[in-house]
Amino acid sequence: MRSIFIRLAVVVTVLGAAAPATAEGPSPLAAERFAIGNAGAVCEAQGVRLGAARASLFDRKWALICRDVNRPVGSAYSLRTPAGVMERIAQDRAQPLDCDAATPAQGFSAGVTVSRCRERSGPLEWVVYTAPGKERTTVVEGIAAYDSALRLALASIVADHLVPGTVDIVTTGGTGSLAQARASLGEADLLIGQGYRQNNAGDFSGAEEYFRPDLVTTAVGGGDPAQLATSQHEVIVNRALQLSNMGRYQEAERVFGEARAMGLRDPIQSRLLRNFEAIDAINRGRLDEARAILARPVPELVDPVASADGSVEIDRTISNGLNAGLAASLSDAVAQETRLTSLERAAIIDAQALQLGATADRLEGKPAEALAALTRARQQIAAIRQGRVVSAARLEAQLMSEMALSNEALGRDDEALSLLRQSLALTELRYPETASVSAAKARLAAYLTRHGGPGQAMTLYREIVANTQSDKSALVGLENQLAPYFDMLVAGSSRDPALVSDMFAAAQLIERPGAARTLGQLARRLAAGDGQASELFRRESAVRRELNRLDLTLAQMQAPGATAPAAGSLAELTARRERLAVSQLELLTALSGYPAYRSLARDYMSADEMRALLAPQEAYLELVEIGDAMYAVYLSPERSAGWKVGASASEVDKLVRQLRESISVSVGGINATYPFDVDAARKLFDALMGPVSGDLANVKHLVFEPDGALMELPPNLLVAEQSGVDAYHARVKSGGDEYDFRGLAWLGRGRAISTALSPASFRDARKAPSSNAGSLYLGLGQNEPVGPLQNASLVRGVQSDEPGCQIPLAAWNRPISAEELVFASQELGTGRSALVTGAAFTDTAIASRPDLGNYRIVHFATHGLVTPPKPSCPANPALLTSFGGPGSDGLLQFGEIFDLDLDADLVILSACNTASLAGLEATQAAGVEGGGQQALDGLVRAFIGAGGRQVIASHWPAPDEYQATRRLFESFFAAPQSLGTGEALLAAQTRLMDDAETSHPFYWSGFALIGDGERPLFHGN
């Protein structure tokens, strides 16, 4: 494995200038963890328990951990009592060291010394720094190769602020994460606590990295089996709850079953399981079941007061609020800087159970009973440490919000409004991060909308949008609270067209839970890399964390009743924040030049920017699903419009199901095609696009951003005029061919259609420079079978009736013919093309191929796997390849695709279901909602992140009958050089739709162009 030296000079070249060396961030002495340096390798100091070296309550110890290292690289101590410091530290070491005499340490103030040491039973060299002070002695020791990290940690602790600098160490370029490094500390509660903190900050996908049983097993190691069981149980129930909150109930049920099967009688874990399963039942609308779960007996606490060392630090969340329904209002976090007893923890969790029961009462129309239970829960929280448990603030805020809803139902409007305002104030004080405050503001704004305060509500909603955009985050789980805002904007847009701009801005912030999950996975993949983009991304993430911490500190310093800060400290913190904000902007500007970052960045556009981007006869149509409603925003150089779709989301879903079933369904493993449902296609067009049907007549290029069920259906097959439908029915009634669909006014006739993942992704596709690759075409496909070769199937989907979750080997025994790849290479010129087929077409060969960036068009003709064999199975979204040597699994997987180094104008996925119909957990990596729905963000986004400007992908199995797919790509590649990619695809599709045999949409409409159809198919020479 190659090694890389990370140096600041590389970063300065990218940024143009280094950030000023200023003291930023919180006090390391007061922090549970703090970053080491602000450039180079990613390292941090993580507070851990202090054993034999402790002589005072004020003594502290940190483990020094770095990404890509599976063990701590050192330790840091801050000790109040100077007597016998080195002897005490020697007793705390895992293994003894033999050290030379201490000498003055270069680069530090007088008095700081350094000793060179060696492990007595190992080959590693160590260094030990000692810095005596007036009030405390600081000692930092560790592996000599990590000297820069050790020196920066020492400097930060002595100065009691984060000292900037470069951690200049050799890294292996591996994919180890800080979560894995934390696991090596042997303290599972650190991992679990960090997972909850990620949730609390709105980084739900980031929390998943810590809620992993394998990391917990690593952390506990060969230690206490009981601790291992309770820690594993906790991460399992958190995983189950996240699945439920995303509507993936079958998977959640399976994972909850795993937790129940453990049979733990631990009082805390039993309470967590009870509460989490109750939330799952409420998510499903099973209120009686939720009550039964909450009434379930749990073990009593035998020892109500645990010792200080034996108690467990908590930072618990009841729900991450990912789903579009109730869980958003049920989420909470119980975070405590000091340690609570088991009895106190149980009391907090029981108070949460009271809240959940009260929610069920309110939903069943029993607000008085709900209010009584909520009052008891609030009293129970207040009784814990006289109400001074800072970490219970989130639960307190949620209790107030729930009490407000009960008071509203009882007609006590003044009390309800007061409680909502109190909840917002408490959230702003204790949890000033954007996600938490936005949720509290949205609840208040929704209430004001219902009670005659539209002006105040509009102001709050606009604040939510502005703050979320500024934070480059998204709104996940707030759909129900935002629906009144969209209704207000639609109602007023006819009088005030400027409100369409507000609607466009808000629509971009509504992020599907699965998409959020994909972006998180891609972010972790990028953070684990070793290139310049990864280095910049890690630095920006560190700056973002420090900004969040400073916001919390500033909010608490300025809170009513807070102790007056020391002279100048508020101004100093404010100045630090301003400098960090400037540094963050520089980093984001540099990152924007990398496609890997652009593919996962949450970037937003204004309506004016979009209109300026569009040419005459172009339009952008964005759909957004909010609860059971859908909204549309239409922008063109000539017109702006926003409306509520004339069908509910469930009605749209039903129409999409009807259309999909008339295109291609699998019956007994055989794909069948039925007469296309032209009436449903016409009805869906009218519901979605009726308000702009006249405008669309003049649009030659429509950019379509789908949501909900529409992500499963290419829009080109919608029928824009009723006359063609009537003529079709008359012809069939008189004995005509019911499979002949010529003469229909398809939306995709005479109009190129591009699909966009977001407005910013369309902008990036339009503005991205053309490929500099020297070769034109690379075709990959026709995997080598693992058994006797079978005849190629008529469609390219991989079906499986096998029980279990493994992909059957039969999938590899139906390879896709390389015929269309051979034709394309001949059409484009064999001297400028290359083919990789058969035994050479392996996942490992593709991933290690050094010349992928030399081709402008990269074309895969193979099976696409995005749907797991059954709903409860883990997913493996991938393209099927031949099996190679060691490390090969015959699949080019999502993360491996993202890591490819492409410079392609176009990536073609002539495979099955690479654009839609992913199943359940496949959608995690595919980037879409759970429930077996869409996969538009999946392999497509991975290829864009790898360096593809745009992607052509299939919505259903690519048909070989009538040689439809080959004929489509023959026409496509034969297009004149002057034609845009969208026009070339349109011309190829038109050729098929005008042939009676292939006029059914199954043959011509399945391929979607994701990107900008105006980009030329060919450029240069």
Side-chain angles (χ1 to χ4, degrees), residues 927-945:
V928 295
E929 294 178 21
Q933 295 204 5
Q934 316 89 357
L936 179 64
D937 277 348
L939 301 176
V940 171
R941 191 182 289 274
F943 273 109
I944 291 174

Side-chain angles (χ1 to χ4, degrees), residues 895-913:
E896 294 169 330
I897 292 169
F898 184 70
D899 288 341
L900 298 178
D901 186 13
L902 303 179
D903 184 17
D905 287 320
L906 178 64
V907 175
I908 301 173
L909 305 180
S910 180
C912 167
N913 292 356

Side-chain angles (χ1 to χ4, degrees), residues 776-779 819-829 832-833 835 856-861 906-910 952 965-977 979-981 983-985 987-989 991 1017-1018:
L776 184 56
Y777 178 85
L778 175 64
E819 186 178 0
E820 75 185 51
L821 303 178
V822 173
F823 169 82
S825 66
Q826 292 172 346
E827 181 72 20
L828 300 176
R832 298 185 296 170
S833 303
L835 295 179
R856 298 183 182 185
I857 299 174
V858 179
H859 185 173
F860 287 86
L906 178 64
V907 175
I908 301 173
L909 305 180
S910 180
I952 290 178
T965 301
R966 173 180 171 170
R967 289 165 56 193
L968 185 140
F969 282 109
E970 284 178 358
S971 299
F972 179 73
F973 286 123
Q977 182 171 329
L979 226 54
T981 307
E983 291 178 282
L985 182 59
Q989 291 171 331
R991 178 185 172 191
L1017 177 57
F1018 306 108

Side-chain angles (χ1 to χ4, degrees), residues 252 270 335 563 672 703 746 769 886 962 1000:
S270 297
T563 304
V703 185
W746 306 111
Y962 303 119
H1000 192 295

Side-chain angles (χ1 to χ4, degrees), residues 179-251:
Q180 292 169 315
R182 286 195 185 97
S184 71
L185 300 178
E187 299 192 29
D189 58 320
L190 292 177
L191 283 171
I192 297 171
Q194 185 59 28
Y196 286 122
R197 290 184 187 91
Q198 298 289 102
N199 264 344
N200 298 344
D203 185 7
F204 308 122
S205 57
E208 265 194 273
E209 186 175 8
Y210 297 91
F211 291 141
R212 287 170 45 189
D214 61 319
L215 288 184
V216 167
T217 301
T218 300
V220 177
D224 183 4
Q227 181 192 358
L228 176 60
T230 56
S231 298
Q232 286 186 327
H233 183 275
E234 188 151 358
V235 298
I236 288 172
V237 295
N238 270 281
R239 171 67 177 146
L241 183 61
Q242 287 186 323
L243 291 168
S244 173
N245 285 338
M246 290 186 289
R248 293 158 54 187
Y249 302 127
Q250 289 176 296
E251 290 176 277

Side-chain angles (χ1 to χ4, degrees), residues 281-508:
I282 293 174
N283 286 346
R284 300 174 188 235
R286 301 174 180 175
L287 302 183
D288 289 340
E289 182 180 328
R291 284 200 185 84
I293 292 170
L294 292 169
R296 195 165 63 198
V298 292
E300 294 296 328
L301 286 163
V302 177
D303 180 7
V305 181
S307 65
D309 282 341
S311 60
V312 181
E313 183 181 27
I314 68 165
D315 187 354
R316 309 300 188 223
T317 188
I318 284 301
S319 169
N320 58 21
L322 281 179
N323 68 317
L326 291 170
S329 65
L330 298 178
S331 64
D332 84 283
V334 183
Q336 178 68 9
E337 293 302 323
T338 58
R339 301 187 181 268
L340 300 179
T341 68
S342 297
L343 184 62
E344 289 167 336
R345 295 185 62 209
I348 291 176
I349 299 172
D350 286 342
Q352 295 163 344
L354 285 173
Q355 179 200 7
L356 296 174
T359 298
D361 285 336
R362 179 181 60 79
L363 291 173
E364 284 195 338
K366 302 174 183 177
E369 292 89 335
L371 191 58
L374 292 166
T375 301
R376 291 198 305 275
R378 199 173 177 188
Q379 292 169 346
Q380 190 165 316
I381 292 295
I384 301 172
R385 299 194 182 184
Q386 293 78 48
R388 294 196 298 269
V389 181
V390 174
S391 57
R394 191 182 297 269
L395 176 58
E396 171 77 1
Q398 291 175 344
L399 284 169
M400 287 190 286
S401 295
E402 189 64 34
M403 292 174 74
L405 293 174
S406 294
N407 275 289
E408 180 186 11
L410 292 168
R412 303 170 185 171
D413 293 348
D414 290 343
E415 180 68 16
L417 182 59
S418 175
L419 284 165
L420 286 170
R421 293 194 185 281
Q422 291 177 56
S423 175
L424 174 58
L426 180 59
T427 304
E428 289 178 323
L429 172 62
R430 297 299 186 191
Y431 305 98
E433 68 271 5
T434 300
S436 300
V437 174
S438 292
K441 284 184 176 180
R443 286 191 290 268
L444 176 57
Y447 175 88
L448 291 169
T449 303
R450 296 192 297 270
H451 292 273
Q456 297 177 63
M458 186 75 79
T459 299
L460 284 170
Y461 280 128
R462 283 174 170 160
E463 288 177 4
I464 292 170
V465 171
N467 292 337
T468 305
Q469 286 185 332
S470 176
D471 193 52
K472 291 190 178 296
S473 54
L475 299 174
V476 180
L478 299 183
E479 290 85 349
N480 287 344
Q481 286 80 17
L482 290 172
Y485 183 45
F486 279 83
D487 288 334
M488 284 194 296
L489 294 175
V490 169
S493 62
S494 59
R495 300 184 304 273
D496 183 3
L499 295 181
V500 176
S501 298
D502 288 330
M503 194 172 173
F504 183 66
Q508 294 175 69

Side-chain angles (χ1 to χ4, degrees), residues 31-106:
E32 179 188 9
R33 62 187 178 93
F34 60 88
I36 299 175
N38 66 341
V42 179
C43 299
E44 69 175 33
Q46 171 70 62
V48 294
R49 293 184 178 91
L50 182 56
R54 181 183 295 281
S56 163
L57 289 175
F58 302 100
D59 291 346
R60 295 214 53 189
K61 177 184 177 181
W62 298 265
L64 309 183
I65 57 178
C66 295
R67 186 188 71 84
D68 196 32
V69 184
N70 291 328
R71 57 169 285 186
V73 300
S75 300
Y77 301 85
S78 177
L79 307 175
R80 277 287 184 93
T81 305
V85 165
M86 298 313 299
E87 290 79 4
R88 287 152 53 196
I89 290 176
Q91 295 177 11
D92 191 61
R93 290 173 184 150
Q95 57 180 304
L97 300 177
D98 293 322
C99 298
D100 298 336
T103 60
Q106 300 297 316

Side-chain angles (χ1 to χ4, degrees), residues 659-943:
L659 290 170
R660 291 281 314 201
E661 289 170 4
S662 71
I663 294 171
S664 178
V665 295
S666 178
V667 180
I670 299 175
N671 279 74
T673 299
Y674 295 93
F676 184 66
D677 193 337
V678 294
D679 297 299
R682 173 64 187 146
K683 184 177 181 180
L684 187 54
F685 172 87
D686 196 50
L688 295 173
M689 305 178 187
V692 291
S693 58
D695 301 83
L696 288 173
N698 299 315
V699 170
K700 299 302 181 185
H701 179 211
L702 176 65
V703 185
F704 180 66
E705 182 187 343
D707 197 9
L710 269 302
M711 295 187 71
E712 300 181 19
L713 196 76
N716 56 7
L717 55 65
L718 299 180
V719 180
E721 295 177 8
Q722 183 62 35
S723 58
V725 175
D726 295 339
Y728 168 79
H729 285 308
R731 187 172 65 249
V732 171
K733 187 176 181 179
S734 63
D737 184 0
E738 61 181 350
Y739 283 89
D740 184 354
F741 295 96
R742 291 175 297 172
L744 286 166
W746 306 111
L747 180 65
R749 178 178 286 280
R751 184 180 297 106
I753 299 178
S754 300
T755 301
L757 300 176
S758 68
S761 72
F762 170 67
R763 176 203 61 202
D764 293 342
R766 174 149 291 190
K767 292 189 173 183
S770 297
S771 169
N772 290 317
S775 298
L776 184 56
Y777 178 85
L778 175 64
L780 307 104
Q782 191 169 319
N783 67 279
E784 189 79 2
V786 295
L789 183 63
Q790 298 180 3
N791 291 330
S793 59
L794 287 178
V795 295
R796 303 179 185 193
V798 175
Q799 307 285 344
S800 172
D801 295 324
E802 286 191 10
C805 295
Q806 284 197 334
I807 301 169
L809 289 178
W812 280 266
N813 286 336
R814 301 191 306 155
I816 301 300
S817 169
E819 186 178 0
E820 75 185 51
L821 303 178
V822 173
F823 169 82
S825 66
Q826 292 172 346
E827 181 72 20
L828 300 176
T830 55
R832 298 185 296 170
S833 303
L835 295 179
V836 180
T837 61
F841 174 51
T842 70
D843 53 323
T844 49
I846 296 168
S848 61
R849 189 176 174 118
D851 66 341
L852 288 176
N854 292 342
Y855 297 94
R856 298 183 182 185
I857 299 174
V858 179
H859 185 173
F860 287 86
T862 186
H863 293 297
L865 306 175
V866 293
T867 305
K870 59 183 182 180
S872 60
C873 292
N876 195 8
L879 296 178
L880 188 145
T881 70
S882 301
F883 283 90
S888 172
D889 59 5
L891 298 170
L892 189 62
Q893 300 187 38
F894 174 73
E896 294 169 330
I897 292 169
F898 184 70
D899 288 341
L900 298 178
D901 186 13
L902 303 179
D903 184 17
D905 287 320
L906 178 64
V907 175
I908 301 173
L909 305 180
S910 180
C912 167
N913 292 356
T914 45
S916 72
L917 279 182
L920 296 175
E921 196 160 327
T923 61
Q924 297 173 17
V928 295
E929 294 178 21
Q933 295 204 5
Q934 316 89 357
L936 179 64
D937 277 348
L939 301 176
V940 171
R941 191 182 289 274
F943 273 109

